[in-house]
Amino acid sequence: QVQLVEFGGGLVQAGGSLRLSCVASGRILRINAMGWYRQAPGKQRELVAVITSGGTTTYTDSVKGRFTISRDNAKNTVYLQMNSLRPEDTAVYYCNAGVQTAILSGFRDYWGQGTQVTVSS
């Protein structure tokens, strides 16, 4: 019913920048919060940043001042601008969105397939 597709991952040197995009499509009535999570090898998935439908943002401490999350509600798209990247930012980055698909249904979490971000030292 709902698909989230991420774009923009890749390989970058430490200190470099990448911009991730995630587009939600399908049977979408409303989208609540949208966010980015990441999972490094051998570690649990962790929240990177989240943005509400009203534009309020929250970041994990390790990315504050370096990453910026934003969204375009008209395009059902969320972005993650990542600057001053560090090797420890290497992970698979996943997009998440809370989506309502029908008037009488609640919001449900949907996930993208993930995009690899690799930062070399």
Side-chain angles (χ1 to χ4, degrees):
Q1 281 187 325
V2 177
Q3 297 82 39
L4 271 61
V5 180
E6 299 107 334
F7 303 92
L11 173 65
V12 64
Q13 288 187 332
S17 298
L18 283 174
R19 189 191 194 210
L20 305 183
S21 302
C22 171
V23 182
S25 63
R27 186 172 180 173
I28 298 172
L29 184 62
R30 286 192 300 168
I31 301 178
N32 193 1
M34 302 184 80
W36 290 95
Y37 290 71
R38 66 186 179 187
Q39 187 167 19
K43 295 187 177 181
Q44 290 188 333
R45 190 174 297 189
E46 64 170 351
L47 172 67
V48 176
V50 64
I51 184 168
T52 68
S53 57
T56 301
T57 58
T58 303
Y59 298 90
T60 192
D61 285 346
S62 63
V63 308
K64 286 180 181 177
R66 301 188 298 122
F67 291 10
T68 302
I69 189 170
S70 60
R71 65 190 282 175
D72 184 333
N73 291 330
K75 296 181 179 180
N76 292 334
T77 299
V78 63
Y79 306 96
L80 186 68
Q81 178 65 44
M82 305 185 292
N83 299 328
S84 302
L85 282 161
R86 305 167 180 170
E88 53 264 39
D89 294 317
T90 296
V92 178
Y93 284 69
Y94 296 91
C95 174
N96 170 268
V99 180
Q100 184 185 26
T101 57
I103 293 176
L104 297 180
S105 69
F107 288 88
R108 175 190 163 185
D109 269 348
Y110 289 86
W111 293 89
Q113 80 286 353
T115 186
Q116 177 70 46
V117 171
T118 302
V119 184
S120 63
S121 57

